[in-house]
Amino acid sequence: MAVSIRTTMLTVFTRTVARLIAAFVCSAAVAVLAGQTSPQLPSAPLQYGAFTIRFASDGSFTIVGKEWPPFNGAWTVEQDEVTLTTAGGPQECAQPGRYRFRVENRRLSLALLSDDCVPRRMVLKDSTWRPEGAAEVVASRAIVRRGPTRPPALPQAASAKGSWPSFRGPHASGVADGQHPPDRWNGKTGENILWRTPIPGLAHSSPVVWGDRIFVTSAISSRPDATFKPGLYGDGDASDDRSPHKWVLYAIDKRTGKIEWERVAFEGVPRERRHIKSTYASASPATDGRIVVAWFGSQGVQAYDVAGHPLWSVDLGRVDMGAYDIPSYEWGPASSPIIWNDLVLLQCDTQTDAFVLALNAQTGETVWKTGREELPSWGTPTVVTATSGAELVTNGSKFIRGYDVRTGAELWRLGGSSKITAPTPVTGAGVVIVTSGRRPEKPLFAIRSGARGDITLEKDRTSSAAVAWSRAGRGTYMPTPLIYDGIVYALNNDGVFDAYDVQTGQEIYRQRLKHLGSGFSASPVAADGRIYLSNEDGEILVIAAGREFREVATNTMGELLMATPALSDGVMYVRSPSALFAIGTRR
């Protein structure tokens, strides 16, 4: 009996001790949790793109960026969320913005929770801030080629007569005399429309032509409502379409419009974002009559022979191109490849690293790669025949540059461009015309061939031994200029059309086009005394070339137009985002 009582008492005592220990552990845990504090924002200045942010200990913050009004306000933190209230500005900016934040290795990352203040959201959304003055970490870029090591047997190229081998034709000139296309046509009624071929997907890329084939690219979204936003506006948002896509190259019979073959170059979720005005296929293909090359940005470079047989592919890694001052604003690529003497030439200017690249056209192997400290850009490079040999000329924000096309060695550079560059260099009459349209610089340069070294103009100078002439405030934003019969024609997005003497830069006329609508993105082309200007709303203006402005006709296509037309053997090939037209006189 005594043993039983002792056993019972011991059991009760053990349970009591266990409860006390559990209660102590629980209360200790509560005490520890109660003593925890939210992670703190760094107090030292932080840098991101063109901006500096500072969170003061008194609960105030400031954001300062070049060419931006400053943001001033108050901040509070709860757990891993920071709430920002900005003083002044638009009404919607009086409302607080909420961001989830993370601090790691003295770097601050912000992820949007909610913020109706557009300019504040533009700067902070998906941003990563580093200590002011700290070097940005740039990952090394791996270029991976897939394909044979020995050059394959290629088809014999058809005659180059009538070819339009890359963006804007031979040397990006945009000129093809001897075509005699009609002055009038109508895409809705079918007047002088030889054929119309639907192209699945969305694309702003231009058609290229060699022999009896036209080559076009497209990106086909999984979303049936995939679209883009045309028009004149300053919104820098990216499209929300990150659904799986197919990137496709099409070969089309130029006489009938029949699709001869199509090849899926890549299939999957886009590795980059695109601007809401752009597409995932805004770069034009290039051909030399034996091979055809398409560059689909982060999805890689693919080469086929003109019969559609795969040759090689090159993965350049992720290419991030967007706003120069807000790195998280990603807009996607648009620079097109060109082919010169068995070299495929690419200009790849990204947020973190920039380079020009030459690939062996038959195998895809790297011939040379030259790094360049540049901002993102979208212009296609051009090979120019100079007095000292062939040069690759590239447009760029920090410098317009010329390279030895065989080795990639830089030959000359010219500063003074805009922070955003898209037009392609064009050559004629012994000069190279290069322009860019973002204010305040908005320059138009005429560069003499054979320049060497740094040829940047001295302050308040408009010409030099290397620069024949220049004009500030007259550059074009998207369309590439046209040199035709001794005159430089420059078309602005807002419909201002200028003409200058190619030798002197003297203004011949400045004309605001009547048919503006959503503006102009396509570049002018010319044939037989006529200049063709495509606006985004689907009209093509026919302008008489010469020293007096005269509009000949305005023709409607009935579809949006973003791409530059191609001219070949008397026919104009016009690309809408989802179709290809052949315009010509019926015989």
Side-chain angles (χ1 to χ4, degrees):
M1 183 68 176
V3 173
S4 177
I5 292 172
R6 284 197 299 269
T7 301
T8 301
M9 291 177 65
L10 181 61
T11 302
V12 171
F13 176 77
T14 302
R15 289 175 178 172
T16 302
V17 171
R19 290 192 188 100
L20 289 172
I21 292 172
F24 174 78
V25 171
C26 182
S27 62
V30 170
V32 169
L33 290 174
Q36 284 185 346
T37 58
S38 299
Q40 292 300 301
L41 297 172
S43 58
L46 301 172
Q47 184 178 351
Y48 169 70
F51 295 88
T52 300
I53 192 170
R54 182 160 193 167
F55 298 95
S57 58
D58 63 0
S60 64
F61 79 91
T62 59
I63 305 176
V64 178
K66 188 177 180 181
E67 300 178 6
W68 283 68
F71 295 88
N72 299 290
W75 64 274
T76 58
V77 163
E78 183 175 350
Q79 297 300 323
D80 62 347
E81 295 182 12
V82 58
T83 299
L84 303 172
T85 305
T86 306
Q91 183 177 357
E92 61 269 20
C93 290
Q95 302 301 316
R98 294 174 51 246
Y99 293 83
R100 179 165 286 113
F101 73 92
R102 179 168 52 89
V103 179
E104 187 175 6
N105 296 327
R106 299 192 304 153
R107 283 169 161 75
L108 170 68
S109 298
L110 297 174
L112 176 69
L113 293 174
S114 63
D115 194 347
D116 292 332
C117 176
V118 173
R120 186 173 61 201
R121 187 177 68 233
M122 288 174 66
V123 177
L124 299 178
K125 179 185 177 184
D126 299 329
S127 60
T128 299
W129 301 75
R130 65 183 187 275
E132 189 176 33
E136 186 173 2
V137 178
V138 179
S140 60
R141 182 177 295 276
I143 296 178
V144 180
R145 185 195 74 90
R146 295 178 178 85
T149 55
R150 305 179 68 177
L154 295 175
Q156 184 174 355
S159 170
K161 179 181 178 296
S163 67
W164 192 271
S166 53
F167 171 72
R168 270 270 296 239
H171 306 289
S173 69
V175 176
D177 283 329
Q179 306 296 313
H180 304 292
D183 283 340
R184 300 186 182 277
W185 62 86
N186 190 299
K188 292 181 178 179
T189 66
E191 178 187 4
N192 285 324
I193 303 297
L194 303 181
W195 49 258
R196 176 189 181 276
T197 298
I199 306 294
L202 289 176
H204 293 344
S205 56
S206 300
V208 302
V209 185
W210 196 291
D212 291 332
R213 285 194 180 98
I214 306 166
F215 300 100
V216 296
T217 61
S218 189
I220 305 172
S221 172
S222 300
R223 286 172 44 170
D225 61 344
T227 186
F228 64 95
K229 179 184 175 183
L232 295 165
Y233 57 91
D235 193 344
D237 279 342
S239 167
D240 63 357
D241 186 3
R242 303 300 303 278
S243 64
H245 278 62
K246 291 181 180 179
W247 283 264
V248 186
L249 175 67
Y250 294 91
I252 298 171
D253 187 307
K254 78 176 189 181
R255 296 162 298 186
T256 65
K258 178 183 177 181
I259 295 178
E260 292 189 351
W261 53 260
E262 60 183 88
R263 299 291 181 266
V264 177
F266 189 89
E267 187 170 1
V269 175
R271 295 173 176 173
E272 78 243 354
R273 288 178 287 184
R274 64 172 173 90
H275 192 283
I276 54 174
K277 189 171 183 175
S278 187
T279 71
Y280 282 118
S282 291
S284 304
T287 183
D288 64 356
R290 302 170 304 156
I291 71 169
V292 56
V293 177
W295 182 19
F296 294 113
S298 301
Q299 287 64 235
V301 186
Q302 282 79 22
Y304 303 84
D305 70 20
V306 292
H309 300 115
L311 296 177
W312 51 263
S313 66
V314 172
D315 185 349
L316 300 179
R318 189 172 182 275
V319 293
D320 180 358
M321 301 166 182
Y324 70 94
D325 50 356
I326 311 177
S328 60
Y329 257 57
E330 194 173 354
W331 295 341
S335 179
S336 303
I338 58 174
I339 300 176
W340 179 86
N341 284 15
D342 285 327
L343 292 178
V344 175
L345 301 165
L346 305 169
Q347 179 178 343
C348 187
D349 293 338
T350 74
Q351 291 282 15
T352 55
D353 62 339
F355 57 93
V356 283
L357 180 69
L359 304 174
N360 183 297
Q362 296 186 51
T363 66
E365 295 173 303
T366 297
V367 177
W368 55 258
K369 175 177 177 285
T370 301
R372 45 199 260 128
E373 186 182 345
E374 265 300 344
L375 301 176
S377 71
W378 294 268
T380 298
T382 302
V383 175
V384 173
T385 303
T387 54
S388 55
E391 298 178 2
L392 180 71
V393 180
T394 63
N395 201 352
S397 297
K398 295 184 177 180
F399 293 100
I400 299 163
R401 291 175 170 92
Y403 298 89
D404 185 321
V405 71
R406 295 175 180 83
T407 67
E410 183 180 308
L411 302 174
W412 56 266
R413 58 172 56 187
L414 170 65
S417 288
S418 301
K419 294 295 190 298
I420 297 175
T421 57
T424 293
V426 292
T427 182
V431 297
V432 182
I433 301 295
V434 191
T435 183
S436 54
R438 187 183 185 277
R439 299 185 186 277
E441 300 88 358
K442 212 175 185 317
L444 179 65
F445 293 107
I447 307 163
R448 293 189 173 97
S449 63
R452 290 293 181 271
D454 191 333
I455 61 172
T456 302
L457 292 169
E458 296 178 4
K459 187 179 180 180
D460 300 326
R461 292 287 303 274
T462 60
S463 63
S464 67
V467 179
W469 54 269
S470 66
R471 281 182 168 268
R474 293 299 184 93
T476 61
Y477 192 81
M478 289 286 288
T480 293
L482 178 78
I483 303 175
Y484 190 48
D485 286 347
I487 297 175
V488 177
Y489 297 93
L491 173 64
N492 283 271
N493 290 50
D494 62 1
V496 174
F497 188 53
D498 296 335
Y500 306 96
D501 185 282
V502 70
Q503 297 292 345
T504 66
Q506 180 182 2
E507 180 183 303
I508 297 172
Y509 65 71
R510 165 161 267 215
Q511 179 71 38
R512 181 170 290 279
L513 302 172
K514 292 182 295 184
H515 305 276
L516 174 60
S518 297
F520 294 80
S521 285
S523 300
V525 297
D528 309 302
R530 297 285 191 263
I531 300 171
Y532 303 92
L533 311 176
S534 307
N535 68 24
E536 294 182 14
D537 291 324
E539 296 169 321
I540 300 181
L541 284 63
V542 183
I543 308 297
R547 304 184 74 84
E548 293 185 6
F549 177 85
R550 180 169 65 89
E551 183 178 323
V552 176
T554 298
N555 302 302
T556 183
M557 299 302 302
E559 301 183 29
L560 297 177
L561 297 179
M562 308 295 289
T564 298
L567 294 160
S568 177
D569 291 333
V571 178
M572 181 186 299
Y573 297 99
V574 175
R575 172 76 183 272
S576 74
S578 56
L580 181 67
F581 293 83
I583 299 170
T585 304
R586 295 186 181 275
R587 295 177 173 83

